[in-house]
């Protein structure tokens, strides 16, 4: 290979001549430096190496690398070198590395510098000198070793699951937690795919749940992805030869399997409440992961099971929902899994799940809530009347809290079984969960978080009343009064309506 014009003899060069640029400069060519050069040479030949050892420089030149003998401590060294875009400072002398970083940053503030720390302490000195990135090789090696062993552990787990499934025949019931969310449902889909692949379809899978698939986004998820799910009944349970729990950690803990029922597989990312580790032939509970769907994605990857569009889209949505759009409890591993799924999923479908068209009832309730709103000192109250679908209430509250001049919104309505109130607040001074449970805890069920809460007041005495809306207007005044007293609204004067 033809060598590029080298500049190692710059003492003879015409000082007026601009020296030009070089992509990478490597200062110090011990074993780390050498490995970096080898790594870079796959990509470019625009590499300039500086080392104080004449013999090493000669060897590099023989290998067709551009190399210069020099002391990296000496700032004037850079007078005779080209301008680097990126500099690796990798000698095995602590002071030399620090001096080099300082000299480079003083001369070329734009140049990116990666420096090697010789001990944990010099790490901060190098950073203070302006190095963009400081590596402490011992740390890197330790991290890589731990990462590798974890990775191996996960691969082994996936293989163990596969081998366990391989020997099974009959029906595997895959049970989600109560009121399943996209994480639980997509995890069940993925486990079913693994089971089918392991047994060549000999093992039948059925996804079982109890409770409701509540939020309309979740219903859109199930409908658009065409997921077949069945209610878990004692009869269905009896038909299943094997049981797996996903996104839930023990029989009877937030699922409809009677406690004590033998379960063969448990895969979850929730921390188990009591100390006892749940027993099953296969248990993988990893609270470090952002979603159970993320664990299942790792299995699919490790086992090389083909992932169809719907499963990939489901898992993507599951991870996304459980990590609140990748903002909560998300780990680098979760993001790697997302990266694996992205090309396999259906983006258009994902968009349709996330912006489901509003149901007719939700739209009506939203309309009612807007029309009937009454605002007092930043508090918005709205009566939406009779409701069949209570999911519409939180959606209306979410919407109305955004109105100008509103800090807290309380939306209420009546269903066949009770009065339902949902509240939202942006006011950091009030804790809605506490306020609602103080106001309504005695007469119903109430609670929540500081900025979102709900209450249900059962209509045990009034179930016979036909006109629910009339009933609501009769009883709501004293009920709201409890809330107003606690937040101090009854003392405030002035009504203003928007
Ligand atoms: Mn989950």
């Amino acid at each position: 290979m033809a060598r590029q014009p080298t500049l190692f003899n710059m003492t003879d060069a015409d000082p007026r001549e601009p020296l030009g640029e070089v992509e990478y400069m490597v200062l110090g060519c011990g074993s780390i430096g050498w490995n970096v050069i080898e790594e870079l040479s796959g990509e470019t030949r625009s590499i300039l190496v500086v080392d104080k050892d004449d013999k090493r420089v000669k060897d590099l030149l023989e290998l067709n690398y551009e190399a210069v003998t020099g002391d990296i401590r000496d700032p004037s060294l850079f007078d005779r070198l080209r301008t680097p875009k990126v500099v690796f400072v990798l000698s095995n002398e602590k002071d030399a590395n620090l001096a080099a970083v300082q000299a480079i940053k003083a001369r070329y503030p734009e140049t990116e510098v990666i420096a090697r720390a010789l001990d944990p302490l010099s790490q901060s000195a190098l950073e203070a000198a302006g190095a963009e990135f400081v590596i402490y090789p011992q740390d890197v090696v330790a991290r890589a070793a731990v990462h590798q062993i974890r990775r191996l552990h996960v691969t082994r787990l996936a293989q163990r699951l596969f081998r366990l499934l391989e020997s099974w025949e009959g029906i595997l019931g895959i049970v989600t937690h109560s009121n399943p969310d996209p994480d639980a449902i997509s995890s069940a889909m993925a486990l079913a795919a693994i089971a089918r692949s392991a047994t060549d379809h000999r093992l039948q899978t059925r996804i079982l749940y109890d409770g409701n698939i509540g939020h309309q986004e979740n219903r859109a998820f199930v409908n658009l992805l065409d997921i077949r799910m069945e209610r878990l009944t004692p009869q269905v349970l009896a038909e299943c030869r094997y049981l797996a729990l996903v996104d839930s950690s023990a029989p009877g803990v937030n699922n409809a399997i009677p406690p004590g029922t033998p379960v063969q597989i448990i895969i979850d990312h929730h921390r188990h409440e009591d100390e006892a580790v749940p027993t099953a032939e296969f248990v993988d509970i990893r609270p470090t992961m952002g979603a159970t769907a993320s664990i299942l994605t790792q299995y699919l990857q490790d086992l090389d099971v083909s992932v169809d569009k719907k499963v990939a889209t489901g898992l993507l949505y599951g991870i996304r929902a459980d990590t609140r759009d990748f903002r909560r409890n998300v780990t680098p591993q979760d993001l790697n899994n997302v990266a694996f799924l992205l090309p396999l999923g259906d983006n258009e479908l994902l968009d349709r799940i996330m912006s489901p068209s509003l149901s007719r009832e939700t739209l009506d309730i939203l309309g009612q809530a807007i029309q009937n709103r009454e605002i007092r000192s930043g508090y918005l109250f709205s009566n939406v009347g009779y409701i069949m679908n209570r999911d519409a209430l939180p959606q209306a509250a979410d919407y109305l809290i955004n109105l100008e001049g509103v800090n807290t919104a309380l939306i209420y309505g009546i269903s066949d079984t009770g009065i339902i109130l949902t509240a939202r607040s942006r006011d950091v001074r009030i804790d809605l969960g506490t306020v609602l449970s103080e106001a309504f805890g005695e007469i119903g069920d109430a609670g929540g978080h500081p900025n979102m809460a709900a209450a249900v007041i059962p209509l045990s005495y009034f179930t016979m009343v036909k006109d629910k809306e009339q009933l609501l207007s009769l009883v709501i005044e004293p009920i709201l009064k409890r809330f107003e007293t606690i937040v101090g609204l009854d003392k405030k004067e002035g009504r203003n309506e928007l």
Side-chain angles (χ1 to χ4, degrees), residues 435-446 455-458 482 486:
V435 169
L436 259 59
S437 59
E438 265 179 54
F440 311 119
E442 283 169 30
I443 54 171
D445 253 350
V456 178
I457 298 158
R482 288 165 169 262
I486 289 170

Side-chain angles (χ1 to χ4, degrees), residues 31-43:
S31 58
I32 297 175
W34 170 246
N35 279 287
V36 168
I37 296 164
E38 275 210 307
E39 190 75 32
L40 292 174
S41 63
E43 165 195 329

Side-chain angles (χ1 to χ4, degrees), residues 177 181 183-184 187 247 268-270 290-293 318 322:
H177 57 69
D181 59 8
D183 184 29
S187 298
D247 209 26
D268 191 18
H269 72 130
H270 297 103
T292 303
D322 248 43

